[in-house]
Amino acid sequence: MASTNTFSDFKLASELPAWAKLQQIYDNKSKTLNVKEEFAKDSKRFAKWSKTFKNYDGSEILFDFSKNLVDDEVLAALLELAQQAKVTELRDAMFKGEHINFTEDRAVYHVALRNRANKPMYVDGTNVAPEVDSVLQHMKEFSEQVRSGAWKGYTGKKITDVVNIGIGGSDLGPVMVTEALKHYAGDIKAHFVSNIDGTHIAETLKLCNPETTLFLIASKTFTTAETITNATSAKNWFLEKTGGDKSNIAKHFAALSTNAEEVAKFGIDTKNMFGFDSWVGGRYSVWSAIGLSVALYIGFDNFDAFLKGAEAVDKHFVETPLEENIPLLGGLLSVWYNNFYGAQTHLVAPFDQYLHRFPAYLQQLSMESNGKSVTRGNVFSNYSTGSILFGEPATNAQHSFFQLVHQGTKVIPSDFILAAQSHNPIENNLHQKMLASNFFAQAEALMVGKDEAQVQSEGATGGLVPHKVFSGNRPTTSILAQKITPAALGSLIAYYEHLTFTEGAIWNINSFDQWGVELGKVLAKVIGKELEGSEKINDHDASTNGLINQFKAWL
């Protein structure tokens, strides 16, 4: 397929008639649209603005959008914006395997990785479903051998620890999913190394026995500098601990890569290589062979359920009308706040300790995807894109940054996530009920606030009164799952993927390249060579020269 940008004629979002309409609505209503009053006016607001997603296994997730700063007029204009921005056209092109990542001339086809129905899905005239399924079957066979003990280390002992060495999407996804699904883990411990800081690999290796450790080297090209450096250190440690026999590497190292030549050169048996195609972006790769650590940790059947949960959201995203389309509505609300309310941030707060790495995972998904300023028309946008996404698990987060969310000067749209059923219902569910009470209360408090009269009725007087006032009318989306199962987690991730896609489609940017990470890498290679000698450096700006030279003096 030619690399022609078939969507280059899409207009700037600000040129669309619906954009001007939304601006007018904002100008007219932003100071008067009060969600608390909207509930008072419409007894059916919750029913109208909440959507229930039914998963493939019959479980459900409730998305409550009713506490957002929207009414029927706003929704109608946002849906017009989606139509005028041709979101569905771009969506359909993605699901057809077209090269919508035009700057890299690639399809964007992570949805094919969770095609468990094995329906034909084509890229450049080739049905990729058989190859995807073949890799999954290889992952199943391998993970079941390791978990059962049929696969043994070089001394005949069962594998007890798996160390995934990767970076970016090759690390953030597996880390998050293994943490989120820890309840489903067997007796294999999972460790992850991503930072080039030697501390990361050194501290991890202290926890491992070379006779019972399996290393997964996650690099598509097998040339990623940080990953190969860490992998080489792991290999050297292994050889040093095991007498230097390189033939033992085959029992303790596997590659998540497509570069057979480099994999073999490293010493890994290419039979232990798990590939994935160029249309798999790093931040979407947990569904691919990159998820092998997950399959080893929770078992392949649970990994398969994880894929199916995402597949169910894909089906919903493609088949559901816009006004009922849950990820699309989430994306439109994000645009509404970012571009009209001037919100620069987006908070995701999971009320679930297992999801403690979920916001970090979403940071890459959101900010690497939509942290762009050039449109598909190759011109700079004249509007804000890419929100700064952040978050930590509540309730601990309530005692750190929630002060800013409640009483700060910024609009911070917030997503709160809770599972009704805990995997650990200790003390007769006392903990879960306390957690849930905070989940409900925080969203309610952000909406209703507390005015001066209420503060005074509680006994506050004088100058203390304004300090205890809460403005309220601060937007939240509440996401309530029945339980965080593998399927539910897959669905939640796919929801945010398609929400992010919707944002990028509205903003008319390419959400699937990441040129912004390249410049620092290039300069780091240059500076890396300069650090080898003892001579002073004078080739950079004064600050960089001074820092490099002081580092070399102290090294």
Side-chain angles (χ1 to χ4, degrees):
M1 181 175 292
S3 60
T4 303
N5 178 11
T6 56
F7 299 96
S8 60
D9 60 342
F10 280 29
K11 293 183 177 180
L12 287 166
S14 56
E15 295 174 350
L16 301 173
W19 189 275
K21 182 184 286 190
L22 283 162
Q23 186 62 57
Q24 185 177 27
I25 293 171
Y26 172 80
D27 292 341
N28 293 337
K29 288 189 172 182
S30 62
K31 292 182 173 58
T32 59
L33 182 58
N34 184 283
V35 178
K36 182 179 176 182
E37 293 174 3
E38 292 298 314
F39 273 103
K41 289 190 293 186
D42 184 0
S43 62
K44 297 181 179 179
R45 181 174 172 87
F46 171 73
K48 183 189 300 181
W49 287 91
S50 62
K51 312 293 178 186
T52 300
F53 169 74
K54 179 165 280 192
N55 219 325
Y56 81 95
D57 60 358
S59 63
E60 296 180 341
I61 303 175
L62 174 63
F63 293 81
D64 176 18
F65 299 115
S66 64
K67 291 189 179 76
N68 282 283
L69 304 174
V70 287
D71 60 12
D72 291 343
E73 185 182 21
V74 173
L75 176 61
L78 286 171
L79 291 172
E80 284 182 36
L81 181 65
Q83 291 168 336
Q84 292 170 12
K86 303 180 183 178
V87 173
T88 57
E89 289 186 27
L90 191 65
R91 175 200 66 192
D92 294 346
M94 177 174 73
F95 276 83
K96 289 176 183 175
E98 295 182 20
H99 288 209
I100 65 171
N101 178 359
F102 67 93
T103 62
E104 296 180 298
D105 192 18
R106 291 176 182 168
V108 177
Y109 226 29
H110 49 277
V111 293
L113 298 170
R114 56 241 193 173
N115 171 28
R116 301 312 295 132
N118 276 325
K119 63 186 179 184
M121 297 184 76
Y122 290 88
V123 174
D124 299 333
T126 299
N127 178 14
V128 301
E131 177 60 25
V132 168
D133 192 61
S134 175
V135 172
L136 285 172
Q137 293 309 313
H138 188 194
M139 292 170 65
K140 178 180 181 179
E141 178 186 18
F142 183 77
S143 61
E144 289 179 348
Q145 283 185 331
V146 173
R147 284 168 61 85
S148 70
W151 178 287
K152 293 178 172 59
Y154 78 101
T155 60
K157 294 182 179 178
K158 184 180 185 294
I159 297 297
T160 60
D161 293 78
V162 171
V163 179
N164 186 91
I165 299 178
I167 199 167
S170 298
D171 172 79
L172 286 167
V175 168
M176 182 274 291
V177 175
T178 52
E179 286 295 307
L181 300 179
K182 185 178 287 187
H183 176 78
Y184 297 88
D187 57 3
I188 290 180
K189 300 181 182 70
H191 312 275
F192 297 87
V193 174
S194 58
N195 201 330
I196 193 60
D197 183 345
T199 299
H200 205 180
I201 186 71
E203 289 294 334
T204 301
L205 293 176
K206 288 178 184 178
L207 305 173
C208 298
N209 178 346
E211 295 180 72
T212 59
T213 299
L214 174 67
F215 294 93
L216 305 180
I217 315 305
S219 173
K220 185 187 295 185
T221 62
F222 224 73
T223 57
T224 308
E226 298 93 339
T227 298
I228 300 307
T229 300
N230 278 326
T232 301
S233 295
K235 182 175 71 171
N236 291 340
W237 170 85
F238 175 79
L239 292 172
E240 180 185 340
K241 296 286 186 181
T242 59
D245 186 347
K246 293 183 179 181
S247 67
N248 293 332
I249 291 174
K251 285 292 184 182
H252 292 269
F253 284 78
L256 315 180
S257 178
T258 55
N259 192 338
E261 183 179 350
E262 288 297 325
V263 168
K265 189 185 300 183
F266 185 87
I268 296 175
D269 187 339
T270 53
K271 291 179 182 178
N272 303 337
M273 190 174 87
F274 300 79
F276 49 101
D277 282 286
S278 63
W279 40 258
V280 180
R283 54 193 173 279
Y284 302 96
S285 63
V286 71
W287 318 104
S288 72
I290 293 297
L292 182 59
S293 58
V294 178
L296 286 162
Y297 188 63
I298 65 174
F300 188 83
D301 287 347
N302 284 320
F303 183 73
D304 193 50
F306 172 66
L307 297 177
K308 288 178 178 176
E311 180 186 31
V313 172
D314 294 340
K315 189 173 189 294
H316 170 92
F317 187 53
V318 170
E319 298 179 359
T320 307
L322 299 188
E323 63 273 11
E324 300 293 329
N325 198 304
I326 296 171
L328 182 126
L329 292 172
L332 290 176
L333 286 170
S334 180
V335 171
W336 175 232
Y337 294 127
N338 187 311
N339 296 109
F340 299 95
Y341 277 85
Q344 296 179 326
T345 60
H346 183 167
L347 165 63
V348 177
F351 285 67
D352 189 308
Q353 187 58 31
Y354 282 134
L355 292 177
H356 71 105
R357 295 296 293 165
F358 194 53
Y361 174 79
L362 295 181
Q363 283 178 335
Q364 185 191 24
L365 171 63
S366 176
M367 294 193 283
E368 190 169 79
S369 294
N370 290 339
K372 317 284 172 61
S373 55
V374 178
T375 71
R376 285 192 295 264
N378 304 321
V379 297
F380 285 92
S381 69
N382 57 5
Y383 43 80
S384 174
T385 62
S387 299
I388 302 166
L389 192 146
F390 73 104
E392 286 288 335
T395 56
N396 197 39
Q398 295 171 194
H399 295 266
S400 56
F401 56 77
F402 267 50
Q403 170 65 46
L404 178 67
V405 182
H406 278 282
Q407 288 187 307
T409 58
K410 297 173 173 60
V411 177
I412 304 177
S414 303
D415 295 354
F416 296 159
I417 304 171
L418 174 73
Q421 300 170 29
S422 172
H423 287 296
N424 300 290
I426 60 176
E427 304 291 343
N428 195 28
N429 260 323
L430 172 65
H431 289 260
Q432 189 67 4
K433 290 174 182 177
M434 288 181 66
L435 183 69
S437 68
N438 282 276
F439 171 82
F440 300 126
Q442 288 293 335
E444 183 179 37
L446 284 165
M447 180 186 74
V448 302
K450 185 186 288 189
D451 61 23
E452 285 190 15
Q454 287 176 281
V455 172
Q456 290 169 340
S457 71
E458 294 171 357
T461 59
L464 187 59
V465 172
H467 294 277
K468 292 194 170 187
V469 168
F470 291 73
S471 64
N473 208 38
R474 300 190 176 216
T476 59
T477 295
S478 297
I479 302 173
L480 179 62
Q482 286 181 276
K483 198 171 194 175
I484 301 300
T485 62
L489 180 65
S491 295
L492 283 173
I493 298 171
Y495 162 75
Y496 279 103
E497 285 182 353
H498 295 318
L499 182 158
T500 302
F501 170 91
T502 299
E503 292 174 326
I506 296 289
W507 290 325
N508 194 27
I509 57 179
N510 180 4
S511 299
F512 304 105
D513 59 13
Q514 52 279 328
W515 299 108
V517 305
E518 296 300 320
L519 180 58
K521 289 183 179 180
V522 172
L523 294 178
K525 288 181 180 178
V526 173
I527 293 173
K529 294 177 181 178
E530 294 173 339
L531 296 179
E532 293 173 4
S534 59
E535 66 280 0
K536 285 195 171 184
I537 300 302
N538 297 295
D539 296 335
H540 304 275
D541 62 90
S543 170
T544 305
N545 287 334
L547 289 167
I548 291 173
N549 291 327
Q550 185 63 77
F551 172 83
K552 292 174 74 171
W554 283 347
L555 186 62

